Amino acid sequence: MHPFRIDIPQDQLDDLRRRLEATRWPDELPGVGWSRGVPLGYLKELAEYWRTSFDWRAAEARLNAHPQFVTEIDGAPVHFLHITSPEPDATPLLLTHGWPGSVAEFLDVIGPLSDPRSHGGDPAQAFHLVIPSIPGYGFSRPLPEKGWDTGRIARAWATLMERLGYDRYLAQGGDAGAVISLELGRIDPEHVIGVHVNMLMTFPSGDPAELAGLGPADQARLGKLARFDAELSGYMKVQQTRPQTLAYALTDSPVGQLAWIVERFLDWTSAERRPEEAVDRDLLLTVVSIYWLTATAGSSAQFYFEGAEGVRAAAAGAVPPPLTVPVGVAVFPDDIFVPIRSLAERDLPHLTHWTEFEHGGHFAAMEQPAALTGDIRAFARSLTSATTTATATAA
């Protein structure tokens, strides 16, 4: 393991500003708003802010305030943040981002999770944090070969936690991080205490009786899933099938990269007119800048290509492999996938914690950091309580 510090050369930042200034803008049909993609006026405004006002050095310093390392696992460089709690009895917690996310999406939860004493919380609920960049994302580059699917990443995470000396730990994630965390629980139950996710895909099996038993609220959630498939999944289908072709456009045009990501922050959050209603603009641009400055638009999209068969199987009603560790789910109503509890219980027999929130969407760590932090703590407490009860019963 080698210490790592983010230090983007100034000439790359200057090049970004030149490219933004020289953008060749398309026409736009009048009055279409967001219905056909990111509006021209909004994107021009955001790109100009990125060029003239966004402070990458401040974002870089905020990331560098936390210890970072790079290690090679299974031939791939893995970048990660490792924040050791000042509380010696803290529980190790592995946090995994998704797409279009990065380690930066956890910046607002690092302090409360690792040092609750300094943030008005209970020091008994502290965590040692390990926050890796998925291979091919951000500073885990270059992606050395094909085959980095969910299972391979989960095995790499198990190796990472072993190298760090963590014998028992929690896993948490949203988006791809949720899928990876659940897989980690499947392959390494001897070391994973439990898995907490803030995104869960629940697909109907096709059994008419199963659908007939769903109430109006759950039927509405199925309708949201259908809308995603019909209208909002274009990005996924491109990345599942032609990630390399997409890479040329997004790696050469910062405005293209910006539009490709920022649209997700409107469609997948509680925002109605612009993503900044849900996510801080500078934090959003920090995430976009990491993709641009590391040129990982294409390599991050490879994850979708590797996982395409699994997604199709799940959508067709395939039952996932058994998961024997406890699972907790935080449900945010404006996420792209809002899970149905009865279907979740069908697939996860050890589902022990379920929380429905009134506000928030896909990027919970950025949109609702306090709510997510509280739910992770509650899930961890439930595991401690269950262990104590089981020990007392056995005695």
Side-chain angles (χ1 to χ4, degrees):
M1 292 185 182
H2 305 283
F4 181 85
R5 184 175 177 82
I6 304 169
D7 186 14
I8 300 298
Q10 185 60 41
D11 62 352
Q12 291 189 28
L13 301 179
D14 295 339
D15 175 68
L16 169 59
R17 294 188 180 99
R18 284 194 297 268
R19 288 171 180 262
L20 288 169
E21 186 175 20
T23 299
R24 185 184 182 208
W25 295 99
D27 293 332
E28 180 184 47
L29 290 172
V32 297
W34 286 84
S35 65
R36 303 192 181 203
V38 184
L40 179 61
Y42 170 75
L43 198 63
K44 281 187 173 182
E45 174 196 330
L46 187 59
E48 183 64 8
Y49 180 87
W50 194 13
R51 185 180 75 86
T52 62
S53 301
F54 173 71
D55 187 350
W56 166 256
R57 292 303 182 198
E60 190 176 67
R62 192 179 177 198
L63 286 161
N64 283 333
H66 305 292
Q68 298 170 69
F69 302 86
V70 171
T71 188
E72 184 176 299
I73 302 177
D74 194 13
V78 174
H79 161 263
F80 63 98
L81 279 62
H82 185 201
I83 299 93
T84 303
S85 172
E87 308 299 337
D89 295 328
T91 301
L93 172 62
L94 175 65
L95 297 169
T96 306
H97 66 84
W99 184 92
S102 73
V103 295
E105 69 185 70
F106 296 110
L107 283 170
D108 289 336
V109 302
I110 287 175
L113 285 172
S114 65
D115 189 10
R117 188 190 300 268
S118 297
H119 292 79
D122 182 355
Q125 297 178 345
F127 299 92
H128 301 305
L129 302 179
V130 180
I131 310 175
S133 299
I134 297 172
Y137 287 69
F139 303 101
S140 289
R141 59 181 296 270
L143 191 64
E145 60 185 355
K146 62 185 180 180
W148 276 93
D149 59 6
T150 299
R152 190 170 180 181
I153 296 167
R155 291 190 294 274
W157 281 190
T159 298
L160 175 61
M161 296 303 277
E162 180 182 17
R163 287 185 187 177
L164 291 171
Y166 292 132
D167 183 62
R168 298 283 286 164
Y169 58 92
L170 289 170
Q172 199 284 331
D175 193 81
V179 181
I180 293 165
S181 297
L182 290 167
E183 184 63 20
L184 180 57
R186 288 188 181 96
I187 68 170
D188 197 23
E190 296 84 6
H191 301 102
V192 177
I193 303 169
V195 177
H196 181 279
V197 297
N198 56 277
M199 187 200 81
L200 184 69
M201 294 179 286
T202 52
F203 297 101
S205 65
D207 181 354
E210 184 177 72
L211 294 178
L214 299 179
D218 287 338
Q219 291 289 352
R221 293 182 178 190
L222 282 181
K224 191 167 188 176
L225 181 63
R227 178 177 178 247
F228 173 81
D229 184 60
E231 181 186 344
L232 303 180
S233 62
Y235 80 94
M236 183 175 71
K237 291 171 181 176
V238 172
Q239 295 189 159
Q240 282 179 338
T241 58
R242 295 295 184 269
Q244 186 63 35
T245 303
L246 176 68
Y248 299 115
L250 302 190
T251 306
D252 189 58
S253 168
V255 163
Q257 178 69 93
L258 179 64
W260 193 248
I261 290 178
V262 78
E263 186 176 61
R264 311 286 84 75
F265 278 83
L266 184 93
D267 287 344
W268 301 354
T269 69
S270 57
E272 295 181 0
R273 296 177 301 276
R274 50 179 53 210
E276 296 94 318
E277 295 169 357
V279 177
D280 176 78
R281 174 179 277 196
D282 285 340
L283 188 53
L284 170 58
L285 287 173
T286 298
V287 172
V288 176
S289 296
I290 289 173
Y291 280 87
W292 173 259
L293 295 170
T294 60
T296 49
S299 57
S300 63
Q302 297 294 336
F303 177 83
Y304 282 78
F305 188 93
E306 302 291 352
E309 183 177 341
V311 171
R312 286 191 290 268
V319 178
L323 180 61
T324 58
V325 303
V327 175
V329 181
V331 181
F332 291 91
D334 295 308
D335 203 345
I336 43 173
F337 303 108
V338 183
I340 296 170
R341 184 162 188 171
S342 62
L343 302 186
E345 290 171 340
R346 176 201 65 193
D347 296 338
L348 299 169
H350 297 277
L351 179 61
T352 62
H353 177 89
W354 183 278
T355 308
E356 300 255 355
F357 290 95
E358 294 184 2
H359 305 287
H362 191 70
F363 304 96
M366 290 188 279
E367 296 176 70
Q368 299 289 332
L372 181 64
T373 297
D375 204 62
I376 293 171
R377 289 172 177 167
F379 176 60
R381 284 197 306 272
S382 74
L383 300 180
T384 303
S385 299
T387 301
T388 301
T389 301
T391 301
T393 301

